[in-house]
């Protein structure tokens, strides 16, 4: 509805006509708002002794425009899911591998997107499963495959968040407890609802082909490689992951281990928060040149002559 205005001289004689005009415009704007599924907006501006009453309705097309944007987002997600399924079928059929430059471009675009920059949109299960499939192909010594993942969504996600706050309150030092709880409540009200799901990252102690567990550091390396695989798959799918160590007092508590169903010797190595973001493109990555971090050695080096000579001696 177009803006309507009444200019009324502020004096005793004009009170009645002003109030009548105010009521009439409120009624007219309200009815038009109901008809057009709009909302009534009133603004009063004072110019000296003159009051200007403005009434207008926000057209229903604004609401429809927002609904259309949400519909387009949902359709884009479904399109991505279909593309993912086609890619998986091609991979199973043994199609060509991506080029080295394409792989490097994907690696360079990997980002950690903070939960505060998520848009609250849900991640479809096929996409989550694609991340877990990627993680399952990480390198592993003695084929122990020590990675385990627990996907927390829906009611389980909320239960996990509530348990986190409970454990922070229980195990945080008294002098820091109030501040820690205030911080957790702020996250629960603002950031956590934007997260589609958590993926708890678990290292399970497994006996390998050698008949004994691998050194723990080797298993930690495998877990890191598995998470990197998930990051790269998430990047390719347009998702927004973030590997968080989580609150240590809650993560390492016996109650949390029970909730996650961990066995003896198992460790939770944080969580991958997963969602979607409209701000991912604003994240900029940078690295110092790799040449500054690499040493090339082609000769034998100090002490290498003796070792090389010993290697050339005939075996007895």
């Amino acid at each position: 509805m177009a803006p309507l205005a009444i200019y009324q001289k502020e004096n005793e004689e004009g009170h009645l006509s002003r109030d009548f005009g105010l009521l009439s415009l409120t009624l007219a704007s309200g009815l038009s708002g109901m008809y057009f599924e709009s909302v009534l907006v009133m603004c009063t501006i004072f110019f000296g002794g003159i009051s200007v009453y403005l009434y207008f309705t926000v057209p229903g097309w604004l609401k429809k425009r927002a609904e259309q944007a949400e519909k387009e987002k949902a359709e884009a997600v479904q399109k991505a899911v279909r593309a993912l399924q086609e890619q998986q079928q091609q991979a199973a059929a043994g199609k060509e591998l991506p080029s080295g430059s394409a792989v490097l471009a994907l690696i360079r675009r990997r980002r950690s997107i903070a939960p505060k920059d998520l848009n609250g949109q849900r991640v479809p299960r096929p996409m989550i499963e694609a991340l877990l499939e990627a993680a399952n192909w990480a390198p592993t010594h003695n084929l122990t495959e020590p990675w385990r993942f627990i996907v927390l969504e829906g009611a389980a996600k909320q239960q996990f968040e509530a348990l986190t706050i409970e454990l922070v309150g229980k195990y945080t030092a008294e002098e820091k407890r109030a501040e820690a709880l205030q911080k957790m409540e702020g996250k629960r009200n603002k950031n956590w609802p934007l997260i589609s799901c958590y993926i708890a990252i678990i290292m399970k102690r497994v006996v390998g082909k050698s008949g004994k567990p691998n050194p723990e550091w080797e298993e930690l390396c495998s877990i890191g490689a598995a998470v990197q695989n998930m990051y790269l798959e998430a990047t390719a799918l347009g998702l927004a992951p973030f590997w968080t160590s989580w609150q240590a007092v809650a993560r390492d508590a016996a109650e949390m281990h029970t909730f996650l169903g961990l066995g003896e010797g198992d460790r939770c190595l944080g969580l991958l928060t997963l969602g979607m973001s409209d701000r991912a493109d604003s994240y900029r990555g940078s690295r110092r040149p790799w040449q500054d971090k690499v040493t090339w050695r082609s000769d034998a080096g100090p002490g290498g002559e003796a070792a090389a000579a010993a290697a050339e001696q005939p075996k007895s």
Side-chain angles (χ1 to χ4, degrees):
M1 180 177 178
L4 300 176
I6 287 183
Y7 296 80
Q8 175 66 49
K9 181 72 177 176
E10 284 288 350
N11 51 47
E12 294 181 359
E13 293 79 8
H15 285 174
L16 182 61
S17 60
R18 182 195 64 184
D19 293 342
F20 180 76
L22 181 67
L23 180 62
S24 300
L25 285 173
T26 301
L27 179 61
S29 296
L31 291 175
S32 66
M34 293 174 62
Y35 180 78
F36 291 106
E37 296 182 351
S38 309
V39 294
L40 172 67
V41 178
M42 180 179 70
C43 178
T44 305
I45 307 175
F46 293 96
F47 294 100
I50 302 296
S51 296
V52 181
Y53 296 97
L54 301 177
Y55 296 86
F56 59 94
T57 55
V58 179
W61 64 264
L62 290 178
K63 178 181 177 182
K64 293 179 181 178
R65 184 177 180 182
E67 292 175 347
Q68 180 64 25
E70 290 299 320
K71 181 180 179 181
E72 290 175 355
K73 284 184 179 180
E75 290 175 348
V77 170
Q78 292 302 318
K79 182 178 180 181
V81 170
R82 290 193 296 270
L84 169 63
Q85 293 170 342
E86 292 176 1
Q87 292 170 5
Q88 290 174 335
Q89 293 174 357
Q90 292 176 356
K95 298 293 183 180
E96 290 185 7
L97 294 174
S99 67
S101 58
V103 173
L104 182 57
L106 177 64
I107 292 172
R108 292 178 61 134
R109 287 188 60 182
R110 183 210 57 77
R111 300 287 183 271
S112 291
I113 309 299
K116 67 181 180 63
D117 289 326
L118 301 180
N119 59 20
Q121 196 170 358
R122 301 299 94 183
V123 177
R125 180 160 180 165
M127 288 188 172
I128 301 174
E129 292 175 348
L131 268 63
L132 299 172
E133 169 72 6
N136 198 44
W137 285 97
T140 168
H141 186 207
N142 284 327
L143 294 178
T144 56
E145 302 179 31
W147 47 81
R148 297 293 185 273
F149 303 104
I150 302 169
V151 181
L152 301 169
E153 56 184 0
K157 174 179 177 288
Q158 296 177 358
Q159 186 179 1
F160 168 77
E161 293 167 347
L163 179 59
T164 293
I165 294 178
E166 176 186 335
L167 296 175
V168 167
K170 182 176 181 180
Y171 292 116
T172 302
E174 185 175 357
E175 63 273 14
K176 299 179 180 179
R177 186 175 302 148
E179 181 182 356
L181 286 174
Q182 183 180 13
K183 184 178 180 180
M184 290 297 97
E185 287 293 349
K187 289 184 176 182
R188 175 158 69 173
N189 295 331
K190 186 176 181 181
N191 296 340
W192 292 352
L194 302 177
I195 299 171
S196 179
C197 70
Y198 300 102
I199 302 179
I201 301 164
I202 310 301
M203 182 191 71
K204 189 169 187 63
R205 299 299 279 150
V206 180
V207 175
K209 294 190 301 181
S210 63
K212 57 182 180 181
N214 289 336
E216 186 178 64
W217 72 266
E218 292 185 353
E219 305 297 70
L220 291 171
C221 289
S222 287
I223 299 294
V227 174
Q228 172 73 349
N229 282 4
M230 286 199 290
Y231 258 109
L232 296 178
E233 183 70 14
T235 302
L237 295 176
L239 304 181
F242 186 90
W243 189 1
T244 170
S245 57
W246 207 241
Q247 286 64 42
V249 294
R251 181 198 64 219
D252 298 334
E255 296 92 329
M256 184 62 76
H257 284 204
T258 299
F259 174 78
L260 294 175
L262 304 189
E264 184 178 356
D266 297 347
R267 290 178 59 186
C268 177
L269 303 178
L271 300 102
L272 195 75
T273 65
L274 192 63
M276 296 188 176
S277 176
D278 301 321
R279 301 185 60 187
D281 290 340
S282 67
Y283 279 65
R284 295 290 181 264
S286 64
R287 294 291 187 273
R288 295 184 301 277
W290 63 264
Q291 293 88 342
D292 296 346
K293 308 159 192 172
V294 176
T295 300
W296 291 91
R297 294 185 60 174
S298 301
D299 56 15
E305 295 85 351
E312 292 177 358
Q313 293 297 321
K315 300 294 188 293
S316 58

